[in-house]
PDB file of all heavy atoms in Angstrom:
ATOM      1  N   PHE Y  24    -217.750 -15.530-109.655  1.00  0.00           N
ATOM      2  CA  PHE Y  24    -217.693 -16.420-108.463  1.00  0.00           C
ATOM      3  C   PHE Y  24    -216.309 -16.432-107.812  1.00  0.00           C
ATOM      4  O   PHE Y  24    -215.370 -16.442-108.570  1.00  0.00           O
ATOM      5  CB  PHE Y  24    -218.216 -17.795-108.796  1.00  0.00           C
ATOM      6  CG  PHE Y  24    -218.083 -18.808-107.864  1.00  0.00           C
ATOM      7  CD1 PHE Y  24    -219.075 -18.976-106.852  1.00  0.00           C
ATOM      8  CD2 PHE Y  24    -216.885 -19.659-107.841  1.00  0.00           C
ATOM      9  CE1 PHE Y  24    -218.839 -19.924-105.880  1.00  0.00           C
ATOM     10  CE2 PHE Y  24    -216.807 -20.736-106.898  1.00  0.00           C
ATOM     11  CZ  PHE Y  24    -217.772 -20.777-105.858  1.00  0.00           C
ATOM     12  N   VAL Y  25    -216.418 -16.409-106.493  1.00  0.00           N
ATOM     13  CA  VAL Y  25    -215.142 -16.593-105.794  1.00  0.00           C
ATOM     14  C   VAL Y  25    -215.076 -17.854-105.082  1.00  0.00           C
ATOM     15  O   VAL Y  25    -214.059 -18.673-105.275  1.00  0.00           O
ATOM     16  CB  VAL Y  25    -214.929 -15.297-104.672  1.00  0.00           C
ATOM     17  CG1 VAL Y  25    -213.695 -15.573-103.959  1.00  0.00           C
ATOM     18  CG2 VAL Y  25    -214.814 -14.103-105.420  1.00  0.00           C
ATOM     19  N   ALA Y  26    -215.954 -18.161-104.235  1.00  0.00           N
ATOM     20  CA  ALA Y  26    -215.964 -19.338-103.366  1.00  0.00           C
ATOM     21  C   ALA Y  26    -217.279 -19.595-102.784  1.00  0.00           C
ATOM     22  O   ALA Y  26    -218.061 -18.647-102.539  1.00  0.00           O
ATOM     23  CB  ALA Y  26    -214.976 -19.213-102.191  1.00  0.00           C
ATOM     24  N   ALA Y  27    -217.553 -20.920-102.455  1.00  0.00           N
ATOM     25  CA  ALA Y  27    -218.736 -21.295-101.819  1.00  0.00           C
ATOM     26  C   ALA Y  27    -218.610 -22.382-100.859  1.00  0.00           C
ATOM     27  O   ALA Y  27    -217.772 -23.155-101.059  1.00  0.00           O
ATOM     28  CB  ALA Y  27    -219.878 -21.629-102.887  1.00  0.00           C
ATOM     29  N   LEU Y  28    -219.483 -22.360 -99.807  1.00  0.00           N
ATOM     30  CA  LEU Y  28    -219.406 -23.337 -98.858  1.00  0.00           C
ATOM     31  C   LEU Y  28    -220.904 -23.849 -98.580  1.00  0.00           C
ATOM     32  O   LEU Y  28    -221.774 -23.035 -98.334  1.00  0.00           O
ATOM     33  CB  LEU Y  28    -218.872 -22.901 -97.468  1.00  0.00           C
ATOM     34  CG  LEU Y  28    -218.956 -23.730 -96.352  1.00  0.00           C
ATOM     35  CD1 LEU Y  28    -218.109 -24.984 -96.514  1.00  0.00           C
ATOM     36  CD2 LEU Y  28    -218.446 -23.081 -95.109  1.00  0.00           C
ATOM     37  N   SER Y  29    -221.064 -25.190 -98.747  1.00  0.00           N
ATOM     38  CA  SER Y  29    -222.483 -25.644 -98.563  1.00  0.00           C
ATOM     39  C   SER Y  29    -222.372 -26.627 -97.252  1.00  0.00           C
ATOM     40  O   SER Y  29    -221.422 -27.309 -97.030  1.00  0.00           O
ATOM     41  CB  SER Y  29    -222.753 -26.590 -99.713  1.00  0.00           C
ATOM     42  OG  SER Y  29    -222.942 -25.823-100.778  1.00  0.00           O
ATOM     43  N   TRP Y  30    -223.501 -26.445 -96.465  1.00  0.00           N
ATOM     44  CA  TRP Y  30    -223.725 -27.410 -95.356  1.00  0.00           C
ATOM     45  C   TRP Y  30    -224.894 -28.147 -95.253  1.00  0.00           C
ATOM     46  O   TRP Y  30    -225.942 -27.691 -95.632  1.00  0.00           O
ATOM     47  CB  TRP Y  30    -223.541 -26.499 -94.059  1.00  0.00           C
ATOM     48  CG  TRP Y  30    -222.179 -25.949 -93.830  1.00  0.00           C
ATOM     49  CD1 TRP Y  30    -221.645 -24.844 -94.168  1.00  0.00           C
ATOM     50  CD2 TRP Y  30    -221.011 -26.594 -93.079  1.00  0.00           C
ATOM     51  NE1 TRP Y  30    -220.330 -24.707 -93.876  1.00  0.00           N
ATOM     52  CE2 TRP Y  30    -219.941 -25.783 -93.120  1.00  0.00           C
ATOM     53  CE3 TRP Y  30    -221.062 -27.867 -92.361  1.00  0.00           C
ATOM     54  CZ2 TRP Y  30    -218.695 -26.043 -92.546  1.00  0.00           C
ATOM     55  CZ3 TRP Y  30    -219.897 -28.153 -91.685  1.00  0.00           C
ATOM     56  CH2 TRP Y  30    -218.763 -27.324 -91.756  1.00  0.00           C
ATOM     57  N   ALA Y  31    -224.841 -29.311 -94.826  1.00  0.00           N
ATOM     58  CA  ALA Y  31    -226.031 -30.170 -94.729  1.00  0.00           C
ATOM     59  C   ALA Y  31    -225.958 -30.877 -93.370  1.00  0.00           C
ATOM     60  O   ALA Y  31    -225.836 -32.106 -93.247  1.00  0.00           O
ATOM     61  CB  ALA Y  31    -226.278 -31.179 -95.920  1.00  0.00           C
ATOM     62  N   GLY Y  32    -226.067 -30.182 -92.319  1.00  0.00           N
ATOM     63  CA  GLY Y  32    -225.962 -30.625 -90.911  1.00  0.00           C
ATOM     64  C   GLY Y  32    -224.619 -30.739 -90.341  1.00  0.00           C
ATOM     65  O   GLY Y  32    -224.178 -29.743 -89.720  1.00  0.00           O
ATOM     66  N   VAL Y  33    -223.962 -31.784 -90.629  1.00  0.00           N
ATOM     67  CA  VAL Y  33    -222.690 -32.018 -89.944  1.00  0.00           C
ATOM     68  C   VAL Y  33    -221.542 -31.929 -90.940  1.00  0.00           C
ATOM     69  O   VAL Y  33    -220.285 -31.975 -90.446  1.00  0.00           O
ATOM     70  CB  VAL Y  33    -222.616 -33.457 -89.207  1.00  0.00           C
ATOM     71  CG1 VAL Y  33    -223.701 -33.489 -88.082  1.00  0.00           C
ATOM     72  CG2 VAL Y  33    -222.797 -34.473 -90.213  1.00  0.00           C
ATOM     73  N   THR Y  34    -221.688 -31.870 -92.190  1.00  0.00           N
ATOM     74  CA  THR Y  34    -220.709 -31.919 -93.071  1.00  0.00           C
ATOM     75  C   THR Y  34    -220.808 -30.657 -94.042  1.00  0.00           C
ATOM     76  O   THR Y  34    -221.787 -30.154 -94.194  1.00  0.00           O
ATOM     77  CB  THR Y  34    -220.560 -33.155 -94.019  1.00  0.00           C
ATOM     78  OG1 THR Y  34    -221.834 -33.446 -94.706  1.00  0.00           O
ATOM     79  CG2 THR Y  34    -220.347 -34.376 -93.111  1.00  0.00           C
ATOM     80  N   GLY Y  35    -219.695 -30.323 -94.685  1.00  0.00           N
ATOM     81  CA  GLY Y  35    -219.699 -29.161 -95.603  1.00  0.00           C
ATOM     82  C   GLY Y  35    -218.837 -29.433 -96.816  1.00  0.00           C
ATOM     83  O   GLY Y  35    -217.944 -30.311 -96.718  1.00  0.00           O
ATOM     84  N   ILE Y  36    -219.120 -28.831 -97.927  1.00  0.00           N
ATOM     85  CA  ILE Y  36    -218.508 -28.996 -99.131  1.00  0.00           C
ATOM     86  C   ILE Y  36    -218.019 -27.534 -99.633  1.00  0.00           C
ATOM     87  O   ILE Y  36    -218.947 -26.584 -99.561  1.00  0.00           O
ATOM     88  CB  ILE Y  36    -219.376 -29.556-100.184  1.00  0.00           C
ATOM     89  CG1 ILE Y  36    -219.848 -30.927 -99.765  1.00  0.00           C
ATOM     90  CG2 ILE Y  36    -218.642 -29.663-101.526  1.00  0.00           C
ATOM     91  CD1 ILE Y  36    -220.902 -31.578-100.760  1.00  0.00           C
ATOM     92  N   THR Y  37    -216.803 -27.438-100.071  1.00  0.00           N
ATOM     93  CA  THR Y  37    -216.297 -26.076-100.375  1.00  0.00           C
ATOM     94  C   THR Y  37    -215.899 -26.152-101.824  1.00  0.00           C
ATOM     95  O   THR Y  37    -215.525 -27.241-102.403  1.00  0.00           O
ATOM     96  CB  THR Y  37    -215.136 -25.595 -99.511  1.00  0.00           C
ATOM     97  OG1 THR Y  37    -214.068 -26.594 -99.785  1.00  0.00           O
ATOM     98  CG2 THR Y  37    -215.504 -25.478 -98.073  1.00  0.00           C
ATOM     99  N   HIS Y  38    -216.030 -25.063-102.515  1.00  0.00           N
ATOM    100  CA  HIS Y  38    -215.586 -24.837-103.912  1.00  0.00           C
ATOM    101  C   HIS Y  38    -214.868 -23.486-104.028  1.00  0.00           C
ATOM    102  O   HIS Y  38    -215.460 -22.486-103.642  1.00  0.00           O
ATOM    103  CB  HIS Y  38    -216.642 -25.027-104.889  1.00  0.00           C
ATOM    104  CG  HIS Y  38    -216.191 -24.901-106.330  1.00  0.00           C
ATOM    105  ND1 HIS Y  38    -215.418 -25.807-106.999  1.00  0.00           N
ATOM    106  CD2 HIS Y  38    -216.471 -24.017-107.175  1.00  0.00           C
ATOM    107  CE1 HIS Y  38    -215.192 -25.386-108.102  1.00  0.00           C
ATOM    108  NE2 HIS Y  38    -215.842 -24.357-108.306  1.00  0.00           N
ATOM    109  N   ILE Y  39    -213.658 -23.504-104.524  1.00  0.00           N
ATOM    110  CA  ILE Y  39    -212.994 -22.282-104.780  1.00  0.00           C
ATOM    111  C   ILE Y  39    -212.843 -21.979-106.265  1.00  0.00           C
ATOM    112  O   ILE Y  39    -212.494 -22.977-106.926  1.00  0.00           O
ATOM    113  CB  ILE Y  39    -211.589 -22.301-104.095  1.00  0.00           C
ATOM    114  CG1 ILE Y  39    -211.641 -22.745-102.657  1.00  0.00           C
ATOM    115  CG2 ILE Y  39    -210.901 -20.837-104.178  1.00  0.00           C
ATOM    116  CD1 ILE Y  39    -212.572 -21.706-101.795  1.00  0.00           C
ATOM    117  N   GLY Y  40    -213.095 -20.798-106.548  1.00  0.00           N
ATOM    118  CA  GLY Y  40    -213.064 -20.503-108.065  1.00  0.00           C
ATOM    119  C   GLY Y  40    -211.675 -20.463-108.640  1.00  0.00           C
ATOM    120  O   GLY Y  40    -210.616 -20.369-107.913  1.00  0.00           O
ATOM    121  N   ASP Y  41    -211.558 -20.656-109.918  1.00  0.00           N
ATOM    122  CA  ASP Y  41    -210.332 -20.652-110.563  1.00  0.00           C
ATOM    123  C   ASP Y  41    -209.698 -19.271-110.408  1.00  0.00           C
ATOM    124  O   ASP Y  41    -210.301 -18.181-110.440  1.00  0.00           O
ATOM    125  CB  ASP Y  41    -210.604 -20.928-112.089  1.00  0.00           C
ATOM    126  CG  ASP Y  41    -211.075 -22.145-112.481  1.00  0.00           C
ATOM    127  OD1 ASP Y  41    -210.892 -23.141-111.663  1.00  0.00           O
ATOM    128  OD2 ASP Y  41    -211.612 -22.388-113.619  1.00  0.00           O
ATOM    129  N   GLY Y  42    -208.402 -19.220-110.192  1.00  0.00           N
ATOM    130  CA  GLY Y  42    -207.627 -18.067-109.970  1.00  0.00           C
ATOM    131  C   GLY Y  42    -207.552 -17.718-108.497  1.00  0.00           C
ATOM    132  O   GLY Y  42    -206.629 -16.852-108.139  1.00  0.00           O
ATOM    133  N   MET Y  43    -208.415 -18.249-107.730  1.00  0.00           N
ATOM    134  CA  MET Y  43    -208.336 -18.062-106.195  1.00  0.00           C
ATOM    135  C   MET Y  43    -207.860 -19.416-105.491  1.00  0.00           C
ATOM    136  O   MET Y  43    -207.429 -19.235-104.376  1.00  0.00           O
ATOM    137  CB  MET Y  43    -209.777 -17.665-105.801  1.00  0.00           C
ATOM    138  CG  MET Y  43    -210.314 -16.433-106.320  1.00  0.00           C
ATOM    139  SD  MET Y  43    -211.261 -16.827-107.846  1.00  0.00           S
ATOM    140  CE  MET Y  43    -212.041 -15.231-108.104  1.00  0.00           C
ATOM    141  N   ARG Y  44    -207.989 -20.483-106.180  1.00  0.00           N
ATOM    142  CA  ARG Y  44    -207.621 -21.737-105.505  1.00  0.00           C
ATOM    143  C   ARG Y  44    -206.076 -21.710-105.220  1.00  0.00           C
ATOM    144  O   ARG Y  44    -205.283 -21.328-105.914  1.00  0.00           O
ATOM    145  CB  ARG Y  44    -207.981 -22.895-106.431  1.00  0.00           C
ATOM    146  CG  ARG Y  44    -207.991 -24.305-105.814  1.00  0.00           C
ATOM    147  CD  ARG Y  44    -208.605 -25.267-106.814  1.00  0.00           C
ATOM    148  NE  ARG Y  44    -209.902 -24.971-107.186  1.00  0.00           N
ATOM    149  CZ  ARG Y  44    -210.286 -24.762-108.481  1.00  0.00           C
ATOM    150  NH1 ARG Y  44    -209.538 -25.120-109.456  1.00  0.00           N
ATOM    151  NH2 ARG Y  44    -211.440 -24.449-108.743  1.00  0.00           N
ATOM    152  N   GLY Y  45    -205.876 -22.003-103.948  1.00  0.00           N
ATOM    153  CA  GLY Y  45    -204.454 -22.037-103.388  1.00  0.00           C
ATOM    154  C   GLY Y  45    -204.211 -20.712-102.802  1.00  0.00           C
ATOM    155  O   GLY Y  45    -203.224 -20.591-101.986  1.00  0.00           O
ATOM    156  N   ARG Y  46    -204.990 -19.655-102.917  1.00  0.00           N
ATOM    157  CA  ARG Y  46    -204.894 -18.388-102.270  1.00  0.00           C
ATOM    158  C   ARG Y  46    -205.976 -17.988-101.351  1.00  0.00           C
ATOM    159  O   ARG Y  46    -205.664 -17.372-100.267  1.00  0.00           O
ATOM    160  CB  ARG Y  46    -204.782 -17.277-103.282  1.00  0.00           C
ATOM    161  CG  ARG Y  46    -203.525 -17.398-104.278  1.00  0.00           C
ATOM    162  CD  ARG Y  46    -203.383 -16.130-105.063  1.00  0.00           C
ATOM    163  NE  ARG Y  46    -204.485 -15.780-105.936  1.00  0.00           N
ATOM    164  CZ  ARG Y  46    -205.120 -14.765-105.784  1.00  0.00           C
ATOM    165  NH1 ARG Y  46    -204.751 -13.799-104.985  1.00  0.00           N
ATOM    166  NH2 ARG Y  46    -206.257 -14.478-106.672  1.00  0.00           N
ATOM    167  N   PHE Y  47    -207.060 -18.360-101.734  1.00  0.00           N
ATOM    168  CA  PHE Y  47    -208.377 -18.045-100.873  1.00  0.00           C
ATOM    169  C   PHE Y  47    -208.850 -19.311-100.153  1.00  0.00           C
ATOM    170  O   PHE Y  47    -208.823 -20.529-100.684  1.00  0.00           O
ATOM    171  CB  PHE Y  47    -209.423 -17.526-101.739  1.00  0.00           C
ATOM    172  CG  PHE Y  47    -209.151 -16.180-102.344  1.00  0.00           C
ATOM    173  CD1 PHE Y  47    -207.921 -15.626-102.263  1.00  0.00           C
ATOM    174  CD2 PHE Y  47    -210.153 -15.624-103.129  1.00  0.00           C
ATOM    175  CE1 PHE Y  47    -207.694 -14.348-102.847  1.00  0.00           C
ATOM    176  CE2 PHE Y  47    -209.860 -14.368-103.611  1.00  0.00           C
ATOM    177  CZ  PHE Y  47    -208.646 -13.694-103.574  1.00  0.00           C
ATOM    178  N   THR Y  48    -209.295 -19.156 -98.889  1.00  0.00           N
ATOM    179  CA  THR Y  48    -209.739 -20.227 -98.128  1.00  0.00           C
ATOM    180  C   THR Y  48    -211.076 -19.872 -97.425  1.00  0.00           C
ATOM    181  O   THR Y  48    -211.271 -18.738 -96.917  1.00  0.00           O
ATOM    182  CB  THR Y  48    -208.693 -20.739 -97.025  1.00  0.00           C
ATOM    183  OG1 THR Y  48    -207.473 -21.083 -97.815  1.00  0.00           O
ATOM    184  CG2 THR Y  48    -209.337 -21.863 -96.236  1.00  0.00           C
ATOM    185  N   LEU Y  49    -212.012 -20.797 -97.350  1.00  0.00           N
ATOM    186  CA  LEU Y  49    -213.343 -20.452 -96.645  1.00  0.00           C
ATOM    187  C   LEU Y  49    -213.279 -21.222 -95.315  1.00  0.00           C
ATOM    188  O   LEU Y  49    -212.722 -22.261 -95.185  1.00  0.00           O
ATOM    189  CB  LEU Y  49    -214.430 -21.031 -97.640  1.00  0.00           C
ATOM    190  CG  LEU Y  49    -214.969 -20.200 -98.683  1.00  0.00           C
ATOM    191  CD1 LEU Y  49    -216.095 -20.792 -99.480  1.00  0.00           C
ATOM    192  CD2 LEU Y  49    -215.360 -18.814 -98.302  1.00  0.00           C
ATOM    193  N   SER Y  50    -213.865 -20.609 -94.450  1.00  0.00           N
ATOM    194  CA  SER Y  50    -214.194 -21.283 -93.217  1.00  0.00           C
ATOM    195  C   SER Y  50    -215.530 -20.778 -92.555  1.00  0.00           C
ATOM    196  O   SER Y  50    -215.957 -19.739 -93.097  1.00  0.00           O
ATOM    197  CB  SER Y  50    -212.989 -20.955 -92.214  1.00  0.00           C
ATOM    198  OG  SER Y  50    -212.862 -19.581 -91.948  1.00  0.00           O
ATOM    199  N   ARG Y  51    -215.998 -21.497 -91.733  1.00  0.00           N
ATOM    200  CA  ARG Y  51    -217.321 -21.269 -91.197  1.00  0.00           C
ATOM    201  C   ARG Y  51    -217.352 -21.321 -89.654  1.00  0.00           C
ATOM    202  O   ARG Y  51    -216.797 -22.205 -89.169  1.00  0.00           O
ATOM    203  CB  ARG Y  51    -218.377 -22.092 -91.815  1.00  0.00           C
ATOM    204  CG  ARG Y  51    -219.728 -22.061 -91.040  1.00  0.00           C
ATOM    205  CD  ARG Y  51    -220.721 -23.065 -91.797  1.00  0.00           C
ATOM    206  NE  ARG Y  51    -222.035 -23.124 -91.159  1.00  0.00           N
ATOM    207  CZ  ARG Y  51    -222.276 -24.164 -90.222  1.00  0.00           C
ATOM    208  NH1 ARG Y  51    -221.303 -24.856 -89.816  1.00  0.00           N
ATOM    209  NH2 ARG Y  51    -223.531 -24.131 -89.707  1.00  0.00           N
ATOM    210  N   ASP Y  52    -217.956 -20.419 -89.185  1.00  0.00           N
ATOM    211  CA  ASP Y  52    -218.233 -20.349 -87.678  1.00  0.00           C
ATOM    212  C   ASP Y  52    -219.714 -20.521 -87.469  1.00  0.00           C
ATOM    213  O   ASP Y  52    -220.511 -19.658 -87.566  1.00  0.00           O
ATOM    214  CB  ASP Y  52    -217.761 -18.956 -86.950  1.00  0.00           C
ATOM    215  CG  ASP Y  52    -217.897 -19.024 -85.559  1.00  0.00           C
ATOM    216  OD1 ASP Y  52    -218.786 -19.779 -84.954  1.00  0.00           O
ATOM    217  OD2 ASP Y  52    -216.931 -18.520 -84.755  1.00  0.00           O
ATOM    218  N   SER Y  53    -220.128 -21.684 -87.105  1.00  0.00           N
ATOM    219  CA  SER Y  53    -221.565 -22.128 -87.074  1.00  0.00           C
ATOM    220  C   SER Y  53    -222.133 -21.456 -85.958  1.00  0.00           C
ATOM    221  O   SER Y  53    -223.369 -20.941 -85.912  1.00  0.00           O
ATOM    222  CB  SER Y  53    -221.740 -23.626 -87.029  1.00  0.00           C
ATOM    223  OG  SER Y  53    -221.117 -24.054 -86.038  1.00  0.00           O
TER     224      SER Y  53
END
């Protein structure tokens, strides 16, 4: 696992895996 982004309408939740946190970033273009 690297990273995940969940969306439920207007809000989102992100989770970055160990070893990537601080280096990897998720973003979404809806």
Side-chain angles (χ1 to χ4, degrees):
F24 172 80
V25 176
L28 174 65
S29 297
W30 287 91
V33 297
T34 60
I36 303 173
T37 62
H38 179 67
I39 310 297
D41 295 341
M43 300 90 170
R44 200 168 299 125
R46 299 190 300 122
F47 292 6
T48 302
L49 281 179
S50 62
R51 170 180 174 267
D52 188 326
S53 59

